[in-house]
Amino acid sequence: MQLDNRAQTLLKALVERYIADGQPVGSRALSKISGLELSPATIRNIMADLEEMGFVASPHTSAGRVPTPRGYRMFVDTLLTVDPIDETALESKMQARLQPNSQQKIITNAAQVLSSLSHFAGVVLTPRRESIFQQIEFLRLSEKRILLVIVSPNGDVQNRLLLTDVDYSPAKLVQAANYINQHYGGLSIDDVRLRLQSELRKLRDDMTWLMQAAVEAGSDAMTDNSDEVVISGERNLLSVTDLSSNMDSLRKLFDMFEQKTSLMQLLDISGKATGVQIFIGGESQLVPMDEMSVVTAPYEVNGKIVGTLGVIGPTRMAYERVIPIVNITAKLLSNALSHS
């Protein structure tokens, strides 16, 4: 929705003042800080229009107004001015923490860097595993229980238990494994799934079930990673009044950290985009609280996007400071992982 220049200037001034001090902003304050030579009555009329359009709201206890999620979105998308920062100084501060080391150590350090520089919570979605298998093996455990053994190209071994409706003989299991290894070994699980859709009709029914079960179980096994999300600085959010003002908010906050599911979904979605993304609570169902925002950016290994990192904080955060922190950390993490 387009706003005229006066409305944009007043909305920008209101959001910046509210981020700075957390208090509803009145027309008198706006007339002083906006730089516009407008009468208080004109400012009140423009603010009433902004409220009607859903960009600001009036708390019951105050004559001033506060930004809504929609107002924050307009601010970060079109009105935000990111001040020039000394990237060299910031990079040198981070560089020592992101020296090529073990991959897990670099990722943990990146989450800590995001947290310490933003004073909120830093989060990193770890690189996705390559879901490629070198070979599989079926082992008959009992009449209707089979152990699926999956070996990746780098030697990782994953096991999954398959419960069947049919008693497969050891010979049939060997035959099925040999067929899969011969025709599909070295492919990704996704590629195997696509090829199976056209090829299963040509196979015998007993092998069909085994191959489908192997692909589904293999997909779970190859992508399973209990440490997919690394979080640092959760306790920083306890000192943010906007997020910890009541028990319901605290419960939602720490449910998100404990479950990690919605956080992983959000980071996974932002990894499909380029550059910095901003998710504002109240407009995105992936953010569990209206008072929370997440600033994210994807990172790469050797030119390929493999994960996402970001900062979790209140909607009332200094976006002009957090955005460069997230952006530069993503670049440095990409560089460190590409050379580790």
Side-chain angles (χ1 to χ4, degrees):
M1 184 178 296
Q2 293 296 315
L3 299 178
D4 64 30
N5 289 337
R6 295 188 310 177
Q8 288 188 15
T9 300
L10 288 174
L11 179 60
K12 184 174 187 288
L14 182 144
V15 176
E16 288 174 342
R17 171 57 68 91
Y18 184 69
I19 286 174
D21 62 22
Q23 298 299 316
V25 186
S27 300
R28 186 183 298 276
L30 281 173
S31 67
K32 294 178 181 177
I33 62 178
S34 66
L36 297 176
E37 295 183 0
L38 299 174
S39 68
T42 301
I43 291 178
R44 281 195 294 272
N45 288 336
I46 295 173
M47 295 310 295
D49 290 340
L50 288 174
E51 185 167 0
E52 189 174 336
M53 289 185 281
F55 293 111
V56 299
S58 301
H60 296 303
T61 56
S62 168
R65 290 178 172 87
V66 300
T68 63
R70 191 176 193 184
Y72 278 117
R73 173 53 59 192
M74 175 66 77
F75 174 73
V76 299
D77 284 351
T78 62
L79 307 176
L80 177 64
T81 304
V82 177
D83 297 330
I85 61 168
D86 188 345
E87 289 197 17
T88 304
L90 189 55
E91 285 184 11
S92 63
K93 186 182 293 188
M94 296 180 183
Q95 204 88 52
R97 301 283 296 278
L98 298 178
Q99 288 299 315
N101 200 329
S102 73
Q103 176 175 288
Q104 192 58 41
K105 183 66 174 173
I106 294 172
I107 288 169
T108 300
N109 285 348
Q112 292 171 350
V113 164
L114 289 165
S115 172
S116 63
L117 292 178
S118 69
H119 307 300
F120 299 130
V123 58
V124 182
L125 181 66
T126 59
R128 302 178 188 93
R129 276 188 189 170
E130 290 272 25
S131 57
I132 297 173
F133 74 92
Q134 193 64 40
Q135 67 179 64
I136 69 164
E137 185 176 353
F138 295 111
L139 298 176
R140 185 180 185 276
L141 299 179
S142 62
E143 187 176 322
K144 294 183 181 180
R145 293 167 70 243
I146 299 170
L147 182 67
L148 171 65
V149 182
I150 307 164
V151 182
S152 69
N154 63 6
D156 281 349
V157 178
Q158 296 282 330
N159 299 318
R160 284 295 185 274
L161 181 65
L162 305 180
L163 302 178
T164 75
D165 294 327
V166 178
D167 183 12
Y168 293 96
S169 69
K172 283 185 177 179
L173 295 179
V174 170
Q175 183 184 14
N178 287 342
Y179 182 92
I180 294 172
N181 294 333
Q182 181 181 346
H183 290 83
Y184 303 107
L187 296 178
S188 72
I189 295 292
D190 288 338
D191 287 341
V192 175
R193 183 181 282 110
L194 287 174
R195 284 180 55 175
L196 281 180
Q197 289 175 357
S198 61
E199 296 178 12
L200 279 180
R201 299 186 197 93
K202 306 171 188 176
L203 300 173
R204 296 193 314 274
D205 287 343
D206 56 354
M207 196 177 292
T208 296
W209 187 90
L210 283 170
M211 291 184 70
Q212 287 177 319
V215 167
E216 294 308 318
S219 180
D220 290 342
M222 301 295 280
T223 57
D224 182 33
N225 187 348
S226 58
D227 295 324
E228 279 191 272
V229 179
V230 177
I231 305 172
S232 177
E234 305 100 306
R235 295 187 65 84
N236 290 342
L237 301 183
L238 291 175
S239 60
V240 178
T241 306
D242 296 8
L243 297 178
S244 60
S245 55
N246 61 62
M247 286 304 297
D248 187 50
S249 294
L250 278 178
R251 193 176 297 111
K252 287 180 181 177
L253 184 63
F254 282 90
D255 277 351
M256 183 186 71
F257 290 134
E258 186 176 345
Q259 302 295 334
K260 296 185 179 179
T261 306
S262 62
L263 197 52
M264 284 170 54
Q265 286 179 318
L266 186 150
L267 293 172
D268 194 50
I269 287 171
S270 59
K272 294 177 173 63
T274 57
V276 174
Q277 303 288 308
I278 300 171
F279 297 86
I280 296 172
E283 63 160 19
S284 170
Q285 293 182 344
L286 292 173
V287 180
M289 297 169 59
D290 289 354
E291 305 84 1
M292 178 189 294
S293 286
V294 185
V295 181
T296 69
Y299 64 90
E300 305 175 346
V301 173
N302 299 320
K304 180 182 178 183
I305 292 176
V306 295
T308 319
L309 55 73
V311 165
I312 301 170
T315 50
R316 194 171 64 83
M317 72 166 73
Y319 294 96
E320 74 282 358
R321 186 174 63 85
V322 174
I323 289 171
I325 290 170
V326 171
N327 194 34
I328 293 170
T329 305
K331 291 177 183 175
L332 292 176
L333 180 58
S334 298
N335 186 58
L337 291 176
S338 296
H339 293 89
S340 62

